Amino acid sequence: MNEEHIMTPEEEDRLIEAEFQDVLNGYLKSNHRKKVEIIERAFRFAKKAHAGIRRRSGEPYILHPIAVAKIASQEIGLGSTSICAALLHDVVEDTEYTVEDIERMFGKKIAQIVAGLTKISGGIFGDQASAQAENFRKLLLTMSEDIRVVLIKMADRLHNMRTLGSMAPNKQYKIAGETLYIYAPLAHRLGLFEIKTELEDLSFKYEHPHAYERIAEQIRASEAKRSAVYNDFSAPIKESLNKMGLRYEAKARLKSVYSIWRKMETKHVPFEEVYDLYAMRIIFDCDDPAQEKAICWNIYSAITDLYRLHPDRTRDWISNPKANGYQALHLTVMGPDGNWIEVQIRSRRMDEIAEKGFAAHWKYKIGESDEESELNVWLRTIKDILDDPNPNAIDFLDTLKLNLFASEIVVFTPKGELITLPTQSTVLDVAFELHSQIGTKCIAGKVNHKLVPLSHKLHSGDQVEVLTSQSQTPKEEWMAFLATAKARTRLRAALRKEQQPVIDKGRAILSDFLKEAEVEGTNEVLTKMMAFYKLPTRDALYYKLGSGELSLDGYVLKDSPKTEKSLLSKIFRIGRPTTRKGEGPAIVTPEKIDTKKTYELKVDDHERNFVFADCCRPIPGDDVMGFINDLGQVEVHSLTCPRAQVLKASFGPRIVSTSWSTVKEKFLAEILIEGVDRHGILQELTHTISNHLNIDIRSLHIDTDKEVFSCRLTVLVSDTGVVTALCNRVKKIKGVQNASRVADTPALPE
């Protein structure tokens, strides 16, 4: 809404009516049955229910449900039931009306979807680690009742992301983090590629605004050059396709800002060296689905007659569609400028399914199909995870993330049945996929008739036979080589069953210990004990106590100034992050932190008003966020840290937006330098850094392999600007090919 001009009630009403008309017009152009009357009624009802309520941006609240209905209808392709549910999705939560009122006025189906959506956002979860994880569990449960619930939730999340600018900075971090951690992978799994890409880009824009702007500007600046290369490349292909008499559309598909940034980060390359900035997409019209496969391969043949094919980068998703329904033929060929270019070949039907996902499947269904869709198979797996009584919300999200896999392999049973699994899956994953009993009794496998251990990683096309023994029992160490969420859930359940008597014994030991110490066994105490012993769950703590691996004997129970070794005094010092070597300032814990405001990170010679997280090493200038830990301190995490992703998705109220203020301190940064080895290069490197740039080197490790060297440097710097200057200067040294900072962000522990 334009801030200079405050709208009159009449102007607002005209805007609301125009936006709704836009939804109706889009719906009337679709091939759904035209049920305008019920949509009109739902709109009038929602408009009246939300009358006088405004969004944080100041605009009338009803514009949000209208926008969600528009996304559901025009971007996901849903029909009248979903449009009505989208218009009504906040009525039960935000007004006096109930689900029963909705059912009475709009029927059972719409009421069920609205109830599903209300269930997701409502509810009180007490001291649970994560209301969001609990929310997500509910979302997936309602998903198995009606897939439209999650599709409308996706539309709701997308509109919230598009209007995130009006939220407080800490809310932006929380919502963006949750979106990147949960909703974008889920959109991918549902085949909603356009939505997945936009969710990733918007999350990235709010988490790393400077990097986003920089890459967006570089894309704009390189557009003319890119277009010229694309035209040179595509002209001969179009000529061949025209001779074949095809009706088709050819276009350059640019990589998203987020995926370009990911590539730059993971490969440590600058923007100029991301060669696969775009792919060519060919979409052809074909009235007979039976002909699609043949036409795809004919186009493939025409392209490989013109350009050199990359032998390892052909992907046939037509014969074996991805689990989310994606079908296409991908090939990579050498372009006229000497760079590899990917070409994606799809029919119009495949393209709709690729961009809009499962909603587009319904459009192409002819009659009722008995075949169980891949989505239902996936939903059954999700039910498997949901049935797991494991109460740890973070574990739940991580297990689920495993299942939202992007890259897949296809293996076969000895009878030729096809199983879709994530890459890195093992024989044991297949065993658990077949049945829990087969998994727990698995001793080895036969892959392509060769005997292999149960940890053997599988490849697409492998034929897998599982070997079992009645004397086999499930092992804790199996967790390390399982790639599917289903297998991990089933193994956890089997282990729990085996370990239950020992766990019960450990629970009793701890209970007696705490009772004698006159300490209540609260969530906080147990969480701190788990952290102290570096154990992931309560059951793991109880098991170690019950089996005698951990002993509480010998510890002084009561706390006293002289007994520093008291277990409980040790435990209650947990969470106090240690100061790093060379970091002298004392930590000052602020009395009250306003999470709605941006918290300024300050360091001088004597005091610091924040602590560093152990999982990453941000320095001034990095994009960071604050997390209020159990001691009330602001714990600083790099936004790219995997732990930060989990915190944003799971502890929203404790996230605080931060900015670097006065910093009079030096920090450690690690630099990776790679290049062609020559006599004296190391001396030149150290001389440039120490003398010319006046930067202290704290450690240096160099490896050479024939003519190539790799050097890891740890230096003391004041901020990211110094690191950039160092890398730019070092790149000018003869023989140096690349110099970049290594982000200190290890993967999350299991």
Side-chain angles (χ1 to χ4, degrees):
M1 228 165 76
N2 193 340
E3 286 180 24
E4 285 108 48
H5 171 66
I6 295 170
M7 285 192 177
T8 64
E10 292 76 20
E11 285 174 319
E12 277 189 351
D13 197 57
R14 279 201 295 277
L15 173 69
I16 292 164
E17 292 292 333
E19 290 292 329
F20 173 64
Q21 198 53 49
D22 204 16
V23 174
L24 262 192
N25 293 343
Y27 170 67
L28 289 168
K29 283 179 198 158
S30 73
N31 59 355
H32 286 281
R33 285 178 298 165
K34 306 299 177 268
K35 294 185 175 177
V36 176
E37 186 272 333
I38 193 167
I39 296 175
E40 281 269 10
R41 275 200 297 120
F43 165 62
R44 298 286 158 220
F45 179 73
K47 185 181 175 186
K48 188 179 167 192
H50 292 300
I53 303 168
R54 295 190 175 273
R55 295 190 84 203
R56 192 177 286 270
S57 59
E59 65 185 18
Y61 193 87
I62 185 65
L63 288 171
H64 169 65
I66 292 172
V68 174
K70 187 174 175 181
I71 293 168
S73 167
Q74 294 172 25
E75 296 183 46
I76 303 178
L78 300 174
S80 60
T81 304
S82 302
I83 294 173
C84 291
L87 288 167
L88 300 165
H89 81 272
D90 279 334
V91 166
V92 174
E93 193 186 348
D94 294 348
T95 74
E96 300 300 310
Y97 292 102
T98 62
V99 173
E100 289 71 33
D101 294 331
I102 303 284
E103 187 173 341
R104 202 169 54 253
M105 284 180 271
F106 299 100
K108 193 166 187 179
K109 186 41 73 182
I110 291 171
Q112 264 179 346
I113 296 173
V114 172
L117 288 157
T118 305
K119 209 190 294 178
I120 297 161
S121 48
I124 296 161
F125 310 106
D127 298 330
Q128 286 296 309
S130 163
Q132 284 85 352
E134 196 55 45
N135 252 336
F136 206 58
R137 193 185 285 251
K138 287 180 175 180
L139 170 63
L140 294 165
L141 278 168
T142 54
M143 209 167 139
S144 44
E145 292 161 23
D146 194 323
I147 184 69
R148 286 174 291 195
V149 173
V150 76
L151 294 173
I152 296 166
K153 185 65 190 170
M154 277 290 165
D156 180 43
R157 174 55 54 135
L158 181 57
H159 186 247
N160 283 336
M161 287 302 296
R162 284 174 179 173
T163 55
L164 198 58
S166 58
M167 302 293 272
N170 66 315
K171 279 271 172 65
Q172 289 178 354
Y173 282 145
K174 173 194 152 324
I175 294 169
E178 194 180 290
T179 300
L180 207 50
Y181 190 71
I182 298 169
Y183 286 93
L186 183 59
H188 183 106
R189 201 63 179 86
L190 293 167
L192 302 165
F193 287 102
E194 283 193 338
I195 288 177
K196 169 228 176 203
T197 303
E198 190 176 347
L199 288 175
E200 285 177 343
D201 270 3
L202 287 168
S203 299
F204 176 53
K205 182 180 174 181
Y206 285 102
E207 291 197 333
H208 303 275
H210 303 304
Y212 180 91
E213 267 313 308
R214 190 177 67 248
I215 294 169
E217 179 49 47
Q218 286 171 310
I219 289 171
R220 283 192 291 273
S222 61
E223 190 176 354
K225 186 182 171 191
R226 212 171 47 245
S227 295
V229 172
Y230 172 74
N231 291 337
D232 285 351
F233 174 72
S234 61
I237 295 175
K238 289 177 183 174
E239 201 178 312
S240 287
L241 299 186
N242 292 339
K243 283 179 188 168
M244 289 163 67
L246 288 175
R247 284 177 294 139
Y248 70 92
E249 176 191 348
K251 55 188 178 186
R253 179 74 171 185
L254 188 68
K255 250 187 188 315
S256 69
V257 175
Y258 175 71
S259 56
I260 290 170
W261 176 76
R262 287 275 300 173
K263 188 143 204 173
M264 288 164 64
E265 288 290 301
T266 51
K267 304 268 191 220
H268 300 299
V269 294
F271 178 85
E272 294 71 29
E273 288 176 32
V274 179
Y275 292 121
D276 55 344
L277 270 182
Y278 67 88
M280 181 184 185
R281 183 170 295 165
I282 297 166
I283 302 155
F284 61 88
D285 293 314
C286 175
D287 300 326
D288 179 6
Q291 293 295 311
E292 288 178 347
K293 189 173 178 179
I295 295 170
C296 283
W297 285 105
N298 286 342
I299 295 172
Y300 173 93
S301 179
I303 295 169
T304 50
D305 284 346
L306 293 165
Y307 296 110
R308 196 171 107 223
L309 177 72
H310 191 303
D312 303 327
R313 281 166 65 178
T314 298
R315 299 283 179 269
D316 175 10
W317 300 114
I318 302 170
S319 309
N320 287 315
K322 287 190 180 185
N324 55 23
Y326 180 82
Q327 282 186 292
L329 181 57
H330 292 194
L331 66 150
T332 301
V333 291
M334 177 73 78
D337 63 342
N339 288 319
W340 294 107
I341 296 174
E342 185 181 66
V343 184
Q344 302 167 355
I345 306 166
R346 305 171 176 175
S347 69
R348 184 72 56 193
R349 177 190 67 85
M350 293 174 192
D351 187 59
E352 283 217 10
I353 290 169
E355 297 306 316
K356 287 190 172 169
F358 283 99
H361 271 291
W362 303 332
K363 180 175 164 182
Y364 291 101
K365 272 190 183 167
I366 302 158
E368 284 303 310
S369 168
D370 291 334
E371 283 183 37
E372 192 174 36
S373 77
E374 286 283 2
L375 180 66
N376 286 334
V377 174
W378 182 65
L379 287 177
R380 271 216 323 274
T381 309
I382 293 295
K383 290 282 275 186
D384 230 49
I385 303 168
L386 295 165
D387 291 339
D388 176 21
N390 180 3
N392 186 323
I394 307 296
D395 260 14
F396 166 71
L397 284 179
D398 280 346
T399 306
L400 188 77
K401 281 279 285 185
L402 275 177
N403 227 67
L404 301 174
F405 43 80
S407 40
E408 298 149 354
I409 59 168
V410 175
V411 299
F412 300 90
T413 66
K415 291 179 181 171
E417 289 164 7
L418 190 141
I419 302 173
T420 305
L421 297 163
T423 48
Q424 306 292 313
S425 289
T426 59
V427 170
L428 192 58
D429 281 299
V430 173
F432 276 111
E433 181 69 31
L434 296 169
H435 197 278
S436 296
Q437 285 298 312
I438 297 174
T440 54
K441 299 294 177 191
C442 177
I443 50 165
K446 275 189 176 177
V447 173
N448 306 327
H449 309 294
K450 278 188 190 161
L451 192 65
V452 294
L454 41 79
S455 60
H456 177 83
K457 286 184 182 173
L458 303 169
H459 301 283
S460 246
D462 281 347
Q463 190 180 45
V464 186
E465 185 183 343
V466 176
L467 305 179
T468 59
S469 162
Q470 285 310 304
S471 59
Q472 177 69 295
T473 55
K475 310 280 191 293
E476 184 79 51
E477 57 267 27
W478 287 0
M479 278 288 181
F481 49 79
L482 285 176
T484 60
K486 186 181 201 169
R488 291 170 80 96
T489 304
R490 288 182 166 180
L491 175 59
R492 207 180 279 126
L495 288 170
R496 202 179 288 124
K497 197 173 174 183
E498 292 247 327
Q499 297 170 348
Q500 202 54 53
V502 183
I503 288 170
D504 291 342
K505 183 183 171 188
R507 189 185 280 111
I509 291 169
L510 184 61
S511 174
D512 293 345
F513 173 81
L514 292 173
K515 203 176 282 178
E516 195 181 331
E518 295 172 15
V519 171
E520 195 185 337
T522 60
N523 270 348
E524 189 191 7
V525 170
L526 291 171
T527 304
K528 285 177 184 287
M529 286 193 87
M530 279 152 49
F532 182 71
Y533 288 117
K534 295 186 171 59
L535 294 169
T537 62
R538 290 181 189 192
D539 281 356
L541 175 66
Y542 297 146
Y543 184 78
K544 288 208 179 277
L545 287 169
S547 62
E549 284 182 61
L550 276 183
S551 171
L552 301 174
D553 297 340
Y555 281 110
V556 182
L557 290 175
K558 293 281 174 73
D559 210 357
S560 78
K562 291 176 187 173
T563 54
E564 260 304 295
K565 286 190 179 173
S566 151
L567 175 65
L568 292 169
S569 72
K570 271 188 180 182
I571 285 168
F572 282 99
R573 285 208 315 279
I574 293 176
R576 248 174 250 269
T578 51
T579 357
R580 296 190 203 141
K581 199 175 179 184
E583 292 176 2
I587 308 302
V588 178
T589 306
E591 280 185 24
K592 183 113 174 65
I593 298 165
D594 186 351
T595 56
K596 290 179 182 167
K597 290 184 180 165
T598 298
Y599 183 81
E600 285 197 8
L601 305 170
K602 298 176 184 174
V603 188
D604 61 26
D605 298 335
H606 309 294
E607 291 180 348
R608 173 149 38 97
N609 69 345
F610 63 93
V611 291
F612 283 105
D614 292 334
C615 46
C616 56
R617 281 198 307 215
I619 63 176
D622 278 337
D623 290 336
V624 293
M625 66 159 214
F627 170 70
I628 300 168
N629 65 18
D630 292 344
L631 300 170
Q633 300 162 327
V634 173
E635 186 179 289
V636 173
H637 288 264
S638 164
L639 279 177
T640 50
C641 166
R643 181 76 194 146
Q645 296 286 354
V646 178
L647 293 174
K648 281 179 289 185
S650 312
F651 297 93
R654 289 163 73 175
I655 300 299
V656 60
S657 159
T658 54
S659 67
W660 295 100
S661 181
T662 51
V663 178
K664 299 178 182 173
E665 200 183 340
K666 292 280 178 85
F667 302 84
L668 293 174
E670 193 173 342
I671 314 291
L672 174 67
I673 302 168
E674 295 167 313
V676 179
D677 199 14
R678 64 174 170 81
H679 181 69
I681 195 165
L682 182 60
Q683 188 182 352
E684 196 174 332
L685 264 174
T686 52
H687 183 75
T688 300
I689 294 165
S690 300
N691 294 12
H692 287 288
L693 296 170
N694 201 22
I695 294 172
D696 290 334
I697 298 173
R698 282 303 167 95
S699 73
L700 186 148
H701 179 81
I702 192 160
D703 283 315
T704 55
D705 182 10
K706 298 188 175 74
E707 289 81 33
V708 177
F709 80 89
S710 168
C711 171
R712 277 183 179 259
L713 272 180
T714 305
V715 288
L716 265 182
V717 295
S718 55
D719 57 39
T720 52
V722 177
V723 175
T724 306
L726 185 154
C727 291
N728 290 340
R729 183 68 187 262
V730 164
K731 281 182 196 168
K732 290 177 182 170
I733 294 172
K734 187 185 167 192
V736 173
Q737 297 292 314
N738 185 41
S740 58
R741 180 167 158 223
V742 182
D744 186 31
T745 51
L748 281 171
E750 285 295 328

